[in-house]
Amino acid sequence: MQEYSSQAAYDRGEAVCVIGAGAAGLIAVKNLRENGFEVDCYERDTVLGGLWNPENQHSPLYPNTHLVTSRSQTEIPDFPMPDDWPDYPSASQMLDYLKRYASHFGLAEHIWYGSEISHVEPVEGSRFEVVVKPAAGSAARRLRYGAVIIATGHHWVPNLPSYPGQDGFRGTVLHSSQLKDGSRLRGKSVLVVGGGNSGIDIACEAAVNAAECVHSVRRGYWYLPKYLGGEPADYALARLRRRPSWLRGFLTDRLLKGHRELSARMGMEAPDHRHTDEEPIRNGRYLEHVGDGSIRRRPDVARFDGGEVAFTDGTTVRPDVVVLATGYKPKIACCPPGLLGVEGDSAHPKLLARMFSPRVETLAVAGLVEPGVGTLPIVHWQTHAISHWLHIRKGDPERAANFRQQVVSESAQYAVDSTGISPRHQLAVDAEEYLAGLGRIIDTLEQEPVK
Amino acid sequence: MSLQAWVRRTRVPEPASVRREIAVVEPADLLDVEAKDDPEASPVLCCTGESAGAAAFSALWLKRIAGSGRYAAAVSVRGQGNTPAAPGGVEARAHDLVQAAIGLPRQAVLVGHGAGAAWAALAAARYPAAALVLVAPHKLPKQPPKPVGDPKVLLAVDESDAQSKEAQAITDAYGVAPLTFPGVSGDVFTGPGAEGLLDTILSWLGRRD
Ligand SMILES: Cc1cc2nc3c(=O)[nH]c(=O)nc-3n(C[C@H](O)[C@H](O)[C@H](O)COP(=O)(O)OP(=O)(O)OC[C@H]3O[C@@H](n4cnc5c(N)ncnc54)[C@H](O)[C@@H]3O)c2cc1C
Ligand SMILES: NC(=O)c1ccc[n+]([C@@H]2O[C@H](COP(=O)([O-])OP(=O)(O)OC[C@H]3O[C@@H](n4cnc5c(N)ncnc54)[C@H](OP(=O)(O)O)[C@@H]3O)[C@@H](O)[C@H]2O)c1
């Protein structure tokens, strides 16, 4: 911090600092403003919309990205998407939607672009000092805020496996986020590694555009189509939650059975988890491409060898392009790890109710969850809760202390049951439980205190 | 809207989409008046329970609202004016109103007249209106849902209705004193009484408090 200390920090009083102008940052700004807070939002890129904006330098969008969650399950609760949009809008519609949201609520005037936050640090008890990374040639700026909300997303740092012999491989190896342009696959022999939604989508893209597509998957997953029982699949499944639990299990099984049997028939490993424990695959074309042979399935990669890749079952291929769709590592570089609960035995953030810092009351993170359902509504309710919390903690210390206790006890409730080892599983929550917990938190915050 | 109400809504079928008739007058459209366009002022979106829908606001309201510097719009919900009929009760009409609101350039004031006031009240529980104006409300739910985003609320009732049970219930629900205007509710759309009412609403909207 030495290098910054020559210049005094500019004090923004009780204003709140939001880091990132992706979906989560925008929703945070809107909800904070609605609760009467002054807000400064810092975005390191020159555009809003985060990963949905292909102009964002590091956007991970790949050819033909469409939502995997349906419109009614994805839209922000108090600003629906136009109801003449398709069930599964495209990435460019999603960006258009976020831009409309920002202009409708006048958010742009609170955003500072080209401003990467390099460091946040608690000062004077519960206030924060925030350092804006200097552009070339100018000095770093330091500002003080009453609170900080981190909304930097978690799809920026590729999670890259390394295999024996990979350095000597003669073909191209790239991460799914580097693909961008589908023409790189045309006419090539392609190997896709990873069984998340990116891997599945890209395998389907290669199935129609590449000369050959081999897909390496290391575990069993739920392969769901985008429609089930004549309705968007996530809606059809969510709707069953209204049924009594004894009936729900039966009806859910009935909806999922066909695809489960089909993937078993194709020799795919059965999932070792419930469909709500991990984000399911949502792509109706995948099983058809496997069924017509345009995607050939293989187990985990064992090693690379010159121009060849060998799998754990002993088979080999000679791909021109290897796409590693192996996910991302959540990384919040601007914040001291201890503030996020990364300490001692925990290498991953341990936030209270998956959003509040366990150390400082005025620090929260929005969107650091993998709920397996639409993310935007979850972020809406998170930031609704955070804004209310910032409101009452000032006025009513006793209530604030009780609330804190509730949040700690809530935090234990939404663990999922998964044997997955890649980073995404650390962020997974059972969406139903998590939303119920958020509901309880919001009820407590909105209730008039009993006097 | 509460989280619980939102969860319930995401688990029932969405009302069928209809092509909605929306009438718009922007301050810049008014050639004859020297209207100042105030980009800071919230747009106003009107609806009425009467079957004419958006057209009811064309004679006077939209021009006068635009004359005050605001983007003025009115929507015909399903079955009104030139919007085709489609299934769905009050919830679907509130949906139509929210859909019209999100299409406006900025956060809008919702004005509901007659049965339209009930739709506006429901819509304001889903969409953070810049303000909520209920004119001669009719058939409002007994316990109207809490508006989101805490907008200011104006209740305008016909003099003769001021003491009615319905007006009283709404007054209690929103905690606002009703503003009364003379005349029968039929002439809220034209005539000098309508102009007076509208000017009161516009000056209330412009007031900072
Ligand atoms: C390919 C793909 C498809 C997806 N599809 C769906 C889907 O169908 N449905 C769904 O609900 N979710 C989907 N998601 C999940 C997605 O994460 C959310 O929809 C949502 O976009 C997350 O928004 P965010 O604001 O949290 O993150 P981001 O969009 O990543 O935004 C973070 C912003 O913070 C900025 N930033 C980062 N660090 C700093 C810093 N230090 N200082 C200043 N600014 C910073 C970044 O530039 C970026 O603009 C998908 C994700 C991916 C990768
Ligand atoms: N169209 C869309 O809307 C869309 C498309 C793509 C992605 N998304 C979302 O974006 C997020 C990221 O998706 P993603 O698919 O990029 O990543 P992801 O969900 O993290 O999936 C990564 C996949 O790679 C596997 N993997 C990880 N490390 C590996 C290794 N060392 N060797 C072999 N396999 C390995 C994982 O296996 P494990 O099973 O062991 O974890 C998993 O199958 C998710 O939230 C996803 O839902 C949405």
Side-chain angles (χ1 to χ4, degrees), chain B:
Chain B
M1 124 204 57
S2 69
L3 186 152
Q4 291 81 2
W6 166 77
V7 168
R8 276 195 298 278
R9 203 168 68 238
T10 57
R11 293 177 181 178
V12 296
E14 186 183 50
S17 176
V18 287
R19 265 184 90 87
R20 300 173 190 90
E21 174 191 32
I22 298 184
V24 173
V25 180
E26 292 187 58
D29 297 337
L30 300 174
L31 299 174
D32 46 342
V33 200
E34 30 173 293
K36 48 168 191 348
D37 190 352
D38 182 354
E40 295 284 297
S42 313
V44 176
L45 175 63
C46 310
C47 71
T48 173
E50 293 177 16
S51 58
F57 298 95
S58 297
L60 170 72
W61 280 60
L62 295 183
K63 286 183 209 126
R64 207 166 180 95
I65 295 169
S68 77
R70 294 172 186 273
Y71 183 106
V75 60
S76 300
V77 303
R78 51 196 65 212
Q80 288 186 322
N82 290 320
T83 300
V90 286
E91 286 291 332
R93 290 173 171 81
H95 167 87
D96 288 338
L97 200 49
V98 172
Q99 283 290 321
I102 58 150
L104 300 184
R106 292 181 311 282
Q107 206 172 352
V109 175
L110 297 182
V111 178
H113 167 252
W119 311 333
L122 293 181
R126 301 182 181 184
Y127 163 83
L132 174 62
V133 180
L134 308 172
V135 181
H138 184 47
K139 289 202 200 141
L140 228 62
K142 276 215 181 61
Q143 281 287 323
K146 194 172 175 297
V148 288
D150 208 14
K152 59 178 186 173
V153 179
L154 178 68
L155 168 62
V157 293
D158 189 309
E159 258 171 3
S160 59
D161 280 342
Q163 304 303 326
S164 73
K165 268 208 187 121
E166 189 162 21
Q168 201 54 51
I170 301 167
T171 303
D172 293 346
Y174 290 100
V176 292
L179 178 100
T180 57
F181 60 91
V184 287
S185 95
D187 37 72
V188 295
F189 295 118
T190 48
E195 287 177 14
L197 168 65
L198 200 43
D199 289 343
T200 317
I201 293 173
L202 289 170
S203 92
W204 176 83
L205 281 179
R207 213 183 301 151
R208 295 192 173 275
D209 42 20

Side-chain angles (χ1 to χ4, degrees), chain A residues 62 65-68 155 159 161 163 176 193-199 201 218-219 221 279 300 325-328 370 421-422 424-425:
Chain A
Y62 47 80
T65 312
H66 279 251
L67 292 186
V68 283
H155 296 113
N159 171 49
Y163 301 99
S176 57
V193 181
N197 274 304
S198 297
D201 280 1
R218 66 176 177 182
R219 290 170 62 229
Y221 303 105
E279 167 106 51
D300 217 357
T326 41
Y328 299 83
E370 284 277 330
I421 49 168
S422 61
R424 61 174 176 157
H425 306 291

Side-chain angles (χ1 to χ4, degrees), chain A residues 113-393:
Chain A
Y113 290 104
S115 305
E116 178 167 349
I117 300 300
S118 55
H119 192 70
V120 302
E121 182 175 82
V123 289
E124 310 163 23
S126 65
R127 291 169 54 70
F128 274 92
E129 189 151 307
V130 167
V131 181
V132 187
K133 192 175 169 180
S138 61
R141 280 189 303 140
R142 295 183 308 144
L143 300 98
R144 287 195 174 187
Y145 289 92
V148 170
I149 298 183
I150 298 173
T152 50
H154 55 269
H155 296 113
W156 300 106
V157 183
N159 171 49
L160 291 171
S162 67
Y163 301 99
Q166 193 178 331
D167 288 346
F169 180 63
R170 288 197 285 272
T172 309
V173 180
L174 42 82
H175 183 256
S176 57
S177 61
Q178 296 168 312
L179 189 59
K180 311 266 192 233
D181 177 5
S183 66
R184 300 178 81 153
L185 303 178
R186 195 151 302 142
K188 300 278 170 53
S189 166
V190 177
L191 166 62
V192 180
V193 181
N197 274 304
S198 297
I200 298 290
D201 280 1
I202 292 168
C204 288
E205 194 68 23
V208 288
N209 286 317
E212 130 179 274
C213 174
V214 174
H215 187 201
S216 155
V217 167
R218 66 176 177 182
R219 290 170 62 229
Y221 303 105
W222 286 95
Y223 295 96
L224 304 186
K226 281 187 161 159
Y227 292 91
L228 278 174
E231 290 170 338
D234 53 353
Y235 167 71
L237 287 166
R239 220 147 85 83
L240 295 180
R241 304 277 190 162
R242 302 179 68 223
R243 305 296 190 127
S245 56
W246 60 270
L247 187 57
R248 190 192 307 157
F250 168 76
L251 293 173
T252 306
D253 279 350
R254 202 175 61 177
L255 264 189
L256 298 178
K257 194 165 158 241
H259 280 78
R260 207 183 150 122
E261 286 176 355
L262 180 55
S263 55
R265 182 174 189 280
M266 292 175 165
M268 300 176 187
E269 209 180 315
D272 60 2
H273 50 274
R274 291 178 311 161
H275 74 280
T276 48
D277 288 336
E278 292 180 15
E279 167 106 51
I281 301 308
R282 307 168 197 272
N283 186 321
R285 291 178 298 153
Y286 182 72
L287 294 183
E288 305 212 336
H289 283 308
V290 175
D292 69 16
S294 52
I295 294 176
R296 284 185 296 135
R297 303 247 312 173
R298 290 288 177 272
D300 217 357
V301 171
R303 71 192 123 65
F304 286 61
D305 191 357
E308 228 173 47
V309 177
F311 301 98
T312 51
D313 64 354
T315 57
T316 58
V317 286
R318 300 187 73 84
D320 305 311
V321 183
V322 178
V323 181
L324 301 174
T326 41
Y328 299 83
K329 288 183 190 163
K331 198 163 166 54
I332 300 182
C334 60
C335 183
L339 295 184
L340 305 174
V342 182
E343 54 196 341
D345 58 345
S346 172
H348 304 281
K350 274 218 163 63
L351 299 163
L352 303 180
R354 301 288 178 124
M355 57 183 165
F356 293 111
S357 161
R359 294 266 282 278
V360 190
E361 286 187 347
T362 46
L363 177 66
V365 184
L368 194 59
V369 284
E370 284 277 330
V373 298
T375 314
L376 274 48
I378 302 256
V379 172
H380 174 80
W381 297 113
Q382 282 184 329
T383 55
H384 182 91
I386 295 167
S387 311
H388 275 68
W389 158 247
L390 292 176
H391 225 40
I392 69 156
R393 67 168 281 282

